Amino acid sequence: DKGGWSSFMAKEVSEEPEAIANTVRGRIRDGLVSIPELDGLDELFAGINRIIVVACGTAAYAGMVGKYAIEQWARVPADVELAHEFRYRDPVIGADTLVVSISQSGETMDTLMAVKYARERGAKTLSICNTQGATIPRESDAIVYTHAGPEVAVASTKAFVAQITALYLLALHISHVRGTLSDTEVRQQVLELEAVPDKIARVLEDEQAHIEQFARWMGDTQSVLFLGRHVGYPIALEGALKLKEISYIHAEGFAAGELKHGPIALIEPGQPVFVIVPSPRHSPLLHSKVVSNIQEIRARGARIIAVAEEGDAAVLPYADEVLRIPLADPLFEPLLAVVPLHIFAMGLATAKGLDVDQPRNLAKSVTVE
Ligand code: M6R
């Protein structure tokens, strides 16, 4: 039931705030992270010296965001690998490796096979999944469910923000078990996380109509590029994937620092480029690097669409369009910055008269390798 929305995707984007709130609910005690499903499983985290996240598509981008939190808070080396690449390359894994799989459906064959492979090699496995009782969690040593609710549209939206949320809870849990963050530090991050749903609701209220109008205006665009740095990089990849998937437009996401290593050759007058701009307050150095990337491509005629923090005036002279997100600590920015990109992809596909819920050639869950 679309509940009065024009599509499941529109409904699911509107549910991003509650997908996060519901994933956090019941997992905080005295301001600290306490995940009931992981009770008694401390041993799962004690002996590990490495985490490998395996997933596909959007879930893999959630994993890439999670890597920053796992390393920053829990100080465990973390890598993200596309599930379908993982088991074909003889990876070095064993009892000291925790393989974290992420899957909305819990049925993605590539991810399932990666989990089975990891178990056969003696690794510990933990599954982040949105579907109760699905196959992947049943094959794993531990499960942390995302509580995004059923996701029907082929393009994953609310499950993505819920996956990042679950990874952050997991990272804070591991930080606590391993003592890499103090209770005060964990509490601070929990407060930041709990503030995110209201901030997303503000993006939806303040920016949705503006972004949809802008997307309509971009209706005949042939190609869109997305740039991001640090946690903004996986968000650039996600923005590009969503656009390809539902609007059939060529789109690429790049790490902003890669520009002069190749992609800048693509910039010609009129080329639209979304840039995820880091916070000038929290990350002044990264912010200045990204602003100079913007200047470089603007000088070559790119049309800049900046996704920037409220009050960031440095982008104004160079941006053709600014999509505002509320202030947040750097690790929480991706949860906000992705929302305008989801709205944009949906708006553009709608402007082209396409079925946003059922894009051509794609299935909601990919149960074949
Ligand atoms: O069900 P899963 O999370 O395992 O699915 C993984 C990908 O197939 C999925 O995220 C896909 O990339 C989406 N259609 C992206 O919107």
Side-chain angles (χ1 to χ4, degrees):
D1 177 20
K2 292 180 202 160
W5 294 89
S6 56
S7 63
F8 280 106
M9 188 178 179
K11 174 172 182 273
E12 288 159 9
V13 168
S14 81
E15 291 169 347
E16 290 190 0
E18 59 197 82
I20 295 174
N22 290 342
T23 298
V24 173
R25 183 164 304 123
R27 282 144 172 196
I28 307 298
R29 208 168 48 207
D30 299 332
L32 296 170
V33 174
S34 162
I35 305 175
E37 297 101 301
L38 299 181
D39 274 356
L41 293 179
D42 283 3
E43 165 267 340
L44 202 61
F45 308 106
I48 56 162
N49 55 27
R50 191 162 167 227
I51 291 177
I52 302 178
V53 179
V54 293
C56 304
T58 283
Y61 300 149
M64 287 174 71
V65 175
K67 170 189 159 94
Y68 292 86
I70 294 169
E71 293 204 340
Q72 185 170 320
W73 294 335
R75 309 305 300 156
V76 183
D79 285 301
V80 184
E81 193 149 346
L82 293 168
H84 37 85
E85 290 290 325
F86 178 66
R87 74 190 181 105
Y88 294 104
R89 66 168 185 89
D90 198 12
V92 182
I93 53 171
D96 54 1
T97 316
L98 176 66
V99 171
V100 175
S101 64
I102 309 176
S103 175
Q104 188 287 128
S105 61
E107 302 296 344
T108 300
M109 185 58 76
D110 291 314
T111 309
L112 173 63
M113 296 312 276
V115 171
K116 285 188 170 173
Y117 178 88
R119 283 191 96 172
E120 281 159 19
R121 295 291 176 103
K124 295 163 176 165
T125 54
L126 182 149
S127 145
I128 292 179
C129 182
N130 196 47
T131 311
Q132 296 277 335
T135 311
I136 295 170
R138 278 193 273 121
E139 290 288 335
S140 306
D141 299 315
I143 313 165
V144 176
Y145 280 111
T146 47
H147 296 298
E151 194 180 63
V152 177
V154 165
S156 187
T157 54
K158 63 176 180 171
F160 175 70
V161 292
Q163 285 159 351
I164 295 174
T165 303
L167 280 163
Y168 281 17
L169 290 170
L170 179 66
L172 290 171
H173 176 84
I174 301 174
S175 312
H176 189 66
V177 173
R178 295 171 69 101
T180 49
L181 288 186
S182 69
D183 285 3
T184 313
E185 287 166 323
V186 173
R187 285 200 171 93
Q188 212 179 324
Q189 303 306 330
V190 166
L191 287 177
E192 279 284 333
L193 183 57
E194 287 178 328
V196 170
D198 283 349
K199 292 181 185 179
I200 295 186
R202 268 177 50 206
V203 176
L204 293 168
E205 264 164 46
D206 300 350
E207 293 285 338
Q208 183 148 9
H210 162 216
I211 298 167
E212 282 171 352
Q213 189 187 22
F214 170 64
R216 275 197 292 279
W217 184 65
M218 298 262 293
D220 56 0
T221 305
Q222 300 296 309
S223 149
V224 181
L225 305 181
F226 293 79
L227 296 179
R229 200 163 178 140
H230 190 253
V231 279
Y233 169 42
I235 296 306
L237 298 175
E238 164 67 3
L241 177 63
K242 219 93 302 174
L243 201 57
K244 287 176 210 178
E245 240 185 331
I246 60 168
S247 72
Y248 318 149
I249 286 176
H250 171 256
E252 291 297 327
F254 299 107
E258 274 294 289
L259 261 184
K260 46 174 102 40
H261 301 287
I264 198 163
L266 288 169
I267 305 294
E268 53 183 18
Q271 170 67 52
V273 185
F274 278 76
V275 186
I276 319 297
V277 186
S279 160
R281 292 169 311 123
H282 287 295
S283 320
L285 187 60
L286 282 182
H287 177 265
S288 69
K289 301 262 183 222
V290 171
V291 170
S292 63
N293 288 144
I294 290 178
Q295 290 167 335
E296 280 159 7
I297 54 175
R298 167 80 174 205
R300 289 162 178 82
R303 275 180 46 211
I304 311 291
I305 304 106
V307 179
E309 186 177 274
E310 282 162 4
D312 179 355
V315 296
L316 289 175
Y318 315 106
D320 297 277
E321 201 63 47
V322 183
L323 312 179
R324 291 293 184 188
I325 55 172
L327 276 55
D329 270 9
L331 285 176
F332 298 92
E333 280 169 14
L335 290 166
L336 306 177
V338 77
V339 179
L341 306 189
H342 284 165
I343 299 171
F344 177 74
M346 192 166 62
L348 205 134
T350 307
K352 290 181 72 177
L354 299 170
D355 178 348
V356 297
D357 289 338
Q358 288 290 342
R360 68 186 180 200
N361 308 341
L362 290 168
K364 178 63 181 163
S365 84
V366 184
T367 52
V368 289
E369 259 194 285

